[in-house]
Amino acid sequence: MFIVPFVVRLFGCGEVIVDIIVCIKQIYDLGQITVDTATKHPITEGAARKISDFDKNALEEAVRIKEKHGGNVFALIGGTKEAAKEALAMGTDEAFIYSADTDSLGTATILAGIIHKIKYDLILCGEASIDEFSFQIGPRLAEALGIPVLTYARKMELKDTEIIVERNLENRYEVAKARLPALVTVTKEINEPRIPTLLQILGASKKRITEISLEKPEAGVENLSITAIEMKRKEVILNDIEELAKIIMSEKS
Amino acid sequence: MIFTFSEDYETALEILAKGREIADSLRLELAAISIGKHDDIEDTYIFCGADKVYSIDSELHADIVVDCLCSLINQYKPELLLIGGTRLGKEVAPRIAQKFGVGCATDCVDFSLEKGEFIVKRFVLGGRFIATQRFLRKPQIVTVPPRRFGKKLDTARTGKIIKTTLKPAQSRVQVLEKKDKTSQMLRIEEADIIVSGGRGFKKKEDLKLVESLAKVLGGAVGCSRSVAADLKWLPEEHWVGLSGHKVKPKLYIAIGISGQVQHIAGIRDSKTIIAINNDPNAPIFKSCDYGIVGDLYEIVPKLTEILQ
Ligand SMILES: Cc1cc2nc3c(=O)[nH]c(=O)nc-3n(C[C@H](O)[C@H](O)[C@H](O)COP(=O)(O)OP(=O)(O)OC[C@H]3O[C@@H](n4cnc5c(N)ncnc54)[C@H](O)[C@@H]3O)c2cc1C
Ligand SMILES: Nc1ncnc2c1ncn2[C@@H]1O[C@H](COP(=O)(O)O)[C@@H](O)[C@H]1O
């Protein structure tokens, strides 16, 4: 009974079946965050929450690999059931949710702790979360798990027991490969995430969401403050092009 | 000791200048790490601020950089690492931080010392907010965006070049192919004047209007993410904003750009911002010095003609 899938996995028709974990962060819709006029601190009350943009690309890519090769997609979500439901509707098989308010060191440590207990071949992350935009978790997690990391993927392909990606670097694209298990961080350009159908949304309610509770891990940095950046601009509206040209000439020199 | 590393030559010199300031205030030694195959850049590192240069002759790859830097950290126990915030830098910095179980702050735009403690600032929440952070453990690891700080050259400076015999472990990632991005490398961060186009342009050919205006003003062409990433009308080096290039020209002209927070995050340090947009309620008018409401197809050709 147990031997069959194992054999299929290794030798089955040149096909590979992989189990993929996608790391997802639920964030506040940045456009809905307001500023406290007195303290200049962000106010998140009332702001809608959503899955961070590039994490949707990671999820989409995982589901496409599953559709092509088989296997399972697990979502590991820093966030609520709402995010889990959205991930499940997009094609995730099972979701794990947790919440912890910590920094990149803490988050990577938590994720590594959970992932240690799951069987996987491939882990996908977004290149960055759009609120923190720190590009840290993917590389940190790979390091914590001791697996190779391929960052900034704009294309990826599974071949036997290897993952081949095209990376988007400053001056060039680089095609690189690593042996599974490996971690890949994806860019926005890798795909266009699907919008689940009503049927898929309804179907998602039958899938399993596991809540994980954790102790707060140690952090490496501490926020002393987060304050709105004030733009002091003149905001002068001009009426004619001549006037605009004059201003450009004087600003130019 | 303070370590600096960047595989990008210019960035390496910029972070040395910043590193020198911090090293002087804290009375620490400043060491530049040079990894790769290149001739005689070590002297310049010393002229730009390094007391020591540890030079490692090796292939340049993330796995190797992590391995080399970790060995040197174990050996010399630096307090602080300044790493150039290129894509390679932003991969290796958090990896090293995770190995040592410490924090890391990427894309730091400001540094200060308060009572001898190292304080950094970075943009968060779409670039509308700035976070002030401190480290809870050492080594403290930061990445610094390219072109954020100036370099300082003093050819009278002296220092020591140490060729290390480190033998880094083999990379687990194998590079199969490198495809250079075709366009001539534009360094939009260095432009004094930038004229940028957004989705207000109806077709790719219409961007000629941006080009001619930029040409008349002797400036560079920029664009919003929509134009570079979604429509692919211009290559990425023109892309301005939070996820593109952060620019600080004397004059920034935004044409047919709505002015979403992520675009503004990239132009915040411009001296003067001018906006041309046909929607009087476009958010760009709240983030500009001078604005004109109207059809770009009418305004831009006329403006270019007058300026000519
Ligand atoms: C994580 C993340 C990172 C991002 N990073 C960036 C980034 O780095 N850079 C960036 O630019 N964006 C970025 N964005 C996208 C950003 O939110 C906006 O979607 C984008 O900037 C919009 O581009 P635009 O202004 O060209 O297009 P639009 O928002 O569609 O604006 C077009 C404007 O043109 C005007 N217009 C239309 N016709 C005319 C006409 N005939 N004459 C004059 N005006 C006209 C319209 O009134 C409108 O204001 C990011 C988004 C996310 C989520
Ligand atoms: N709290 C979290 N829970 C799960 N995944 C996360 C979390 N934070 C970040 N990630 C993943 O790590 C990527 C990079 O995030 P960051 O390092 O914050 O820019 C994101 O795109 C996610 O894939």
Side-chain angles (χ1 to χ4, degrees):
Chain A
M1 273 290 281
F2 290 108
I3 294 171
V4 178
F6 180 70
V7 173
V8 168
R9 209 179 156 98
L10 282 181
F11 309 109
C13 329
E15 271 294 320
V16 265
I17 299 173
V18 291
D19 288 337
I20 308 176
I21 298 174
V22 186
C23 297
I24 293 174
K25 183 180 186 184
Q26 189 187 31
I27 57 162
Y28 288 103
D29 186 329
L30 301 183
Q32 295 185 21
I33 294 178
T34 51
V35 181
D36 182 317
T37 41
T39 61
K40 302 287 173 236
H41 295 167
I43 303 175
T44 50
E45 269 109 69
R49 302 181 78 183
K50 60 171 202 172
I51 293 179
S52 183
D53 300 36
F54 310 148
D55 301 2
K56 268 202 183 164
N57 297 99
L59 186 52
E60 173 65 33
E61 202 60 24
V63 174
R64 286 186 193 184
I65 295 173
K66 174 198 156 100
E67 285 167 353
K68 196 165 162 198
H69 298 275
N72 292 293
V73 175
F74 303 104
L76 190 48
I77 304 170
T80 63
K81 280 213 170 80
E82 280 4 271
K85 282 185 189 147
E86 195 179 348
L88 291 168
M90 278 179 71
T92 305
D93 295 290
E94 190 175 344
F96 299 87
I97 58 173
Y98 79 93
S99 79
D101 183 21
T102 178
D103 74 335
S104 302
L105 171 65
T107 301
T109 309
I110 289 176
L111 295 177
I114 299 172
I115 291 174
H116 264 308
K117 300 189 193 115
I118 310 176
K119 185 178 72 59
Y120 67 90
D121 303 286
L122 181 64
I123 302 175
L124 298 185
C125 288
E127 61 169 345
S129 59
I130 77 159
D131 54 353
E132 280 293 327
F133 226 69
S134 64
F135 296 84
Q136 291 202 36
I137 301 301
R140 275 184 181 271
L141 185 55
E143 208 58 56
L145 296 167
I147 59 175
V149 56
L150 292 154
T151 43
Y152 318 110
R154 68 197 288 262
K155 280 183 194 160
M156 62 190 282
E157 191 193 340
L158 202 63
K159 219 169 181 192
D160 301 326
T161 52
E162 289 178 331
I163 184 83
I164 304 175
V165 309
E166 184 169 307
R167 305 175 63 216
N168 187 354
L169 301 176
E170 278 92 354
N171 322 338
R172 63 170 195 274
Y173 299 114
E174 185 180 282
V175 182
K177 70 170 183 183
R179 189 166 269 284
L180 299 178
L183 187 148
V184 177
T185 75
V186 307
T187 65
K188 178 185 152 59
E189 56 189 321
I190 196 162
N191 58 39
E192 198 54 59
R194 70 193 63 193
I195 296 162
T197 62
L198 189 61
L199 210 62
Q200 286 165 326
I201 294 170
L202 294 174
S205 61
K206 295 192 199 78
K207 296 184 190 172
R208 193 156 67 180
I209 301 175
T210 309
E211 232 169 295
I212 302 175
S213 60
L214 300 149
E215 278 177 45
K216 197 168 168 158
E218 299 221 41
V221 294
E222 177 185 58
N223 271 329
L224 299 172
S225 69
I226 299 180
T227 46
I229 302 164
E230 295 192 72
M231 274 274 265
K232 288 187 204 73
R233 295 282 167 193
K234 298 193 185 78
E235 297 179 34
V236 177
I237 299 294
L238 306 170
N239 294 314
D240 79 80
I241 302 174
E242 295 281 347
E243 203 181 342
L244 179 60
K246 263 189 215 133
I247 287 169
I248 290 177
M249 284 320 288
S250 73
E251 292 293 333
K252 177 174 179 285
S253 48
Chain B
M1 181 136 46
I2 298 177
F3 277 3
T4 66
F5 167 78
S6 182
E7 81 292 357
D8 179 70
Y9 182 61
E10 290 292 318
T11 310
L13 305 184
E14 292 159 8
I15 54 176
L16 274 170
K18 204 70 208 164
R20 187 71 258 161
E21 284 174 26
I22 302 165
D24 287 341
S25 320
L26 294 175
R27 294 172 201 281
L28 292 172
E29 229 181 356
L30 181 64
I33 319 294
S34 159
I35 304 171
K37 297 194 176 296
H38 31 228
D39 331 293
D40 299 335
I41 54 172
E42 288 88 356
D43 284 331
T44 320
Y45 282 178
I46 289 171
F47 298 154
C48 286
D51 298 309
K52 286 189 176 142
V53 182
Y54 294 104
S55 172
I56 300 158
D57 180 32
S58 153
E59 293 299 321
L60 188 69
H61 188 283
D63 283 1
I64 291 171
V65 174
V66 170
D67 201 43
C68 291
L69 286 175
C70 287
S71 306
L72 290 168
I73 293 168
N74 278 324
Q75 207 172 341
Y76 298 102
K77 311 263 180 298
E79 312 251 303
L80 170 67
L81 265 77
L82 298 175
I83 295 180
T86 58
R87 294 193 195 178
L88 173 78
K90 282 194 280 198
E91 175 183 328
V92 301
R95 286 178 60 181
I96 296 166
Q98 191 67 23
K99 269 207 199 288
F100 287 93
V102 299
C104 169
T106 45
D107 283 329
C108 295
V109 293
D110 190 34
F111 303 95
S112 57
L113 291 166
E114 278 165 35
K115 301 197 190 89
E117 192 174 42
F118 187 61
I119 307 283
V120 300
K121 287 190 196 296
R122 61 185 305 272
F123 293 126
V124 292
L125 302 176
R128 258 168 77 210
F129 292 84
I130 197 151
T132 306
Q133 302 180 323
R134 75 181 186 104
F135 289 85
L136 301 170
R137 267 167 257 278
K138 282 176 186 167
Q140 310 167 96
I141 303 180
V142 302
T143 76
V144 185
R147 310 294 94 76
R148 178 75 200 179
F149 300 106
K151 52 188 184 209
K152 279 194 196 110
L153 188 88
D154 172 3
T155 49
R157 277 189 56 84
T158 55
K160 207 157 133 198
I161 297 165
I162 300 130
K163 302 258 180 212
T164 75
T165 49
L166 274 182
K167 284 271 166 294
Q170 274 240 305
S171 173
R172 287 186 293 177
V173 170
Q174 190 187 340
V175 178
L176 305 173
E177 195 186 338
K178 291 179 180 184
K179 299 186 250 185
D180 284 333
K181 292 187 181 172
T182 41
S183 46
Q184 347 74 350
M185 283 304 295
L186 166 79
R187 289 228 177 167
I188 198 162
E189 292 91 343
E190 286 165 15
D192 265 345
I193 296 173
I194 298 171
V195 185
S196 278
R199 206 168 251 230
F201 288 85
K202 294 191 179 65
K203 5 184 243 300
K204 183 179 175 185
E205 294 70 51
D206 299 347
L207 288 176
K208 285 231 165 56
L209 296 174
V210 175
E211 278 162 32
S212 351
L213 180 56
K215 202 165 164 201
V216 167
L217 294 172
V221 171
C223 66
S224 66
R225 181 174 86 174
S226 308
V227 168
D230 304 334
L231 301 166
K232 301 202 187 328
W233 287 350
L234 282 173
E236 280 171 31
E237 59 264 30
H238 296 270
W239 166 355
V240 172
L242 181 69
S243 47
H245 297 267
K246 295 184 187 64
V247 298
K248 39 180 193 313
K250 280 205 299 209
L251 181 60
Y252 187 86
I253 308 182
I255 308 173
I257 291 178
S258 56
Q260 299 303 318
V261 284
Q262 294 92 355
H263 190 80
I264 303 302
I267 64 173
R268 187 155 274 138
D269 295 329
S270 307
K271 188 167 157 280
T272 302
I273 298 173
I274 290 177
I276 302 173
N277 197 305
N278 64 0
D279 173 8
N281 297 317
I284 190 78
F285 290 122
K286 293 255 169 292
S287 307
C288 73
D289 295 289
Y290 302 98
I292 187 156
V293 181
D295 184 0
L296 69 91
Y297 286 95
E298 234 174 80
I299 297 172
V300 181
K302 273 192 205 153
L303 181 65
T304 310
E305 202 185 293
I306 301 170
L307 290 168
Q308 225 154 16

